[in-house]
Amino acid sequence: EVQLVESGGGLIQPGGSLRLSCAASGFTISSNHVTWVRQAPGRGLEWVSVSYSDGSTYYADSVKGRFTISRDNSKNTLYLQMNSLRAEDTAVYYCARVSWGGYWGQGTLVTVSS
Amino acid sequence: QAVVTQEPSLTVSPGGTVTLTCGSSTGAVTSGHYPYWFQQKPGQAPRTLIYDTSNKHSWTPARFSGSLLGGKAALTLSGAQPEDEADYYCFLFHSGALVFGGGTKLTVL
């Protein structure tokens, strides 16, 4: 069974850093496209970053230069390193597999506030 | 970056049929955009209904179907049920990026 479990969210001050993790099971992340998507309170889904099976990565303009997506294939885990956090980064962050179907985690809440 | 457009809201009668669409500012949506459709209910994570234009998951009710229609990706619901009331999002693969539409709020009334 495919599962994705996010962790690492919490309350962080503006300008701070946070690293989110997404532990995958039931499939191998290195062979799939995996992505981070966020949803601010009361808003729609916003794509953040993607890591393709060929190793290439892409970022939304809103996070480029501040966020970094990476994978630890030995742990079958996806990460999102978030630096220089802003209030507008406050959202539930979801990881999802978007190859040969779409599978979502339950999300982790990141709140950027002083 | 491309902009993906969806109807902000639609209403369908119970048992009725409705089509939601997903368009791109760069031109016609094709199978090469690998359109995905998601359903999201309040307080829940999104759930994928359709991937790669028309493929269904095992949990996708048979009343949902995906296609390309008039240069857009389309999600058709035939025989709407009260439990289909939800927000529906599409996304397209665009030059490496994933671009979400703004979502359609579907009311079954």
Side-chain angles (χ1 to χ4, degrees), chain B residues 36-96:
Chain B
Y36 273 61
W37 289 95
F38 311 97
Q39 179 191 65
Q40 189 180 35
K41 296 183 178 180
Q44 296 183 14
R47 181 176 75 148
T48 303
L49 294 176
I50 299 290
Y51 64 97
D52 296 350
T53 306
S54 59
N55 292 303
K56 298 182 184 183
H57 275 289
S58 58
W59 57 76
T60 304
R63 59 185 179 274
F64 288 94
S65 63
S67 66
L68 295 176
L69 193 65
K72 297 181 180 181
L75 177 70
T76 299
L77 170 58
S78 303
Q81 300 297 309
E83 60 265 30
D84 298 329
E85 187 160 295
D87 293 326
Y88 292 82
Y89 296 90
C90 69
F91 81 62
L92 306 176
F93 285 86
H94 254 293
S95 302

Side-chain angles (χ1 to χ4, degrees), chain A:
Chain A
E1 180 191 6
V2 172
Q3 283 196 320
L4 300 111
V5 179
E6 303 93 336
S7 61
L11 175 63
I12 188 77
Q13 291 190 338
S17 297
L18 209 56
R19 188 178 81 157
L20 305 183
S21 301
C22 172
S25 58
F27 72 100
T28 304
I29 62 167
S30 61
S31 302
N32 283 274
H33 310 328
V34 282
T35 189
W36 288 100
V37 174
R38 67 185 181 185
Q39 187 168 36
R43 305 294 296 274
L45 299 173
E46 179 189 15
W47 172 69
V48 174
S49 182
V50 64
S51 175
Y52 286 103
S53 58
D54 66 0
S56 60
T57 58
Y58 292 82
Y59 298 90
D61 289 344
S62 58
V63 307
K64 203 173 293 182
R66 299 188 299 125
F67 291 11
T68 302
I69 192 171
S70 62
R71 298 185 299 206
D72 184 333
N73 294 335
S74 66
K75 295 182 178 179
N76 212 34
T77 298
L78 181 73
Y79 300 101
L80 185 68
Q81 178 67 43
M82 305 187 296
N83 299 330
S84 303
L85 283 161
R86 307 166 180 166
E88 54 264 37
D89 296 318
T90 294
V92 175
Y93 284 72
Y94 297 100
C95 67
R97 173 185 134 181
V98 289
S99 49
W100 298 281
Y103 301 85
W104 293 75
Q106 285 303 301
T108 186
L109 176 63
V110 173
T111 303
V112 184
S113 174
S114 54

